[in-house]
Every structure is written in structure tokens, then in C-alpha cells.
Amino acid sequence: LPDMLAIMFEADGAYAGTIRANAALNGVAGRIDVRVYGDCAGIGAAIAELGDGPVHLVVDCEGAEKEILDPVRCPGLARAEIVVECHDFVDRTITTTLLERFRASHDVKTIEESSRPVSPHPAIAGLPEIDRALAMCELRPEAMRWLWMRPKSG
């Protein structure tokens, strides 16, 4: 996907600057459009800007999934392939609501978090095993899940 344009939304303006700086360091600043905050209207506008091209969304919005991913308020979502991390510990109805909203328009696969081995990554390889494990831990109050939603064909 070397020619892909990524439109990114970040709720915190300070982090948006960090994303832009990292994009510049990685030589992709011209392919990333970072916008502060993403709501249903903003995502709908971004989808419209893309015209008839493919739309792929990766959504990690820390509990705002129901507000952002609403195909009634944002009809463009019907043609988007979406991977969303569901923060059900914030709102117990997130996953069930999204499954109901996208059942008619998308094939949905649920991906449950699984255990992962302690990373041998060179940046932490010299640390004791407990420190490597802590470096990989997000300290979530429960196991996470993701929905991979692909538009149904025809």
C-alpha cells in the first residue's frame, strides 16, 4: 500500500503532533492526514473525500465506539472494511451494539485477545522476564476483543 493515504483522527492535539512527527521520521508524512478528534460526522466526511476508492478503518477510540461507528448517522460506513477494538469494560453494550448495527451490511469476525509470549524484541531482550512481560502489558482490566467487519458483497 505504498500509495495509500491514511486519514487519522486523534482526540488529543498533543498526540496528533507526535503522530505527525513520527510520520516525518518514517518518511510518510505526505501520506498521513492527522485530524484532531474523530466523530461520526468527521469520519463520514473523510469517507466522502475518498470518493469511490476503498475505505479501511482501524478504530481504537477508548470506549467511544458506539458514538463513532453509527451507520445510520454515517452511511459511508456501509462500504468500509473496519477493524475496531471494543472497550467493553467502559460500556458493556459496545460489542453487542456494533454487531447489531453492522449485521446486515457486513460479515463480522470476532477476534478475542489471547496470551502472548514474552517478547524477545532486541529493545527489551536484556531485561528480566518480568520486566519484558510488563513492557508488553497494557494493564487492561479484562481481555480485549476486536471486530473485523467486511462489507458483504452483492
Side-chain angles (χ1 to χ4, degrees), residues 45-66:
I47 291 171
E49 288 173 32
L50 296 172
D52 293 332
V55 176
H56 304 278
L57 300 175
V58 178
V59 180
D60 181 1
C61 56
E62 306 302 324
E65 294 85 343
K66 290 185 341 187

Side-chain angles (χ1 to χ4, degrees), residues 23 69 90 135 154:
L69 298 175
V90 174

Side-chain angles (χ1 to χ4, degrees), residues 90-108:
V90 174
D91 176 344
R92 291 282 168 214
T93 66
I94 288 173
T95 297
T96 55
T97 299
L98 294 179
L99 287 170
E100 182 60 33
R101 285 180 181 174
F102 289 92
R103 179 173 288 127
S105 61
H106 287 70
D107 292 316
V108 181

Side-chain angles (χ1 to χ4, degrees), residues 11-72:
D12 186 320
Y15 289 130
T18 301
I19 293 168
R20 288 184 189 103
N22 282 329
L25 288 171
N26 286 286
V28 295
R31 295 183 16 225
I32 295 179
D33 177 1
V34 182
R35 302 176 187 188
V36 176
Y37 194 68
D39 57 12
C40 194
I43 289 175
I47 291 171
E49 288 173 32
L50 296 172
D52 293 332
V55 176
H56 304 278
L57 300 175
V58 178
V59 180
D60 181 1
C61 56
E62 306 302 324
E65 294 85 343
K66 290 185 341 187
E67 291 76 27
I68 291 173
L69 298 175
D70 184 341
V72 171

Side-chain angles (χ1 to χ4, degrees), residues 116-122 124-125 132-133 136:
R116 37 187 155 166
V118 175
S119 176
H121 190 279
I124 61 173
R132 291 192 317 257
M136 295 177 55

Side-chain angles (χ1 to χ4, degrees), residues 46 115 140:
S115 62
R140 302 287 187 165

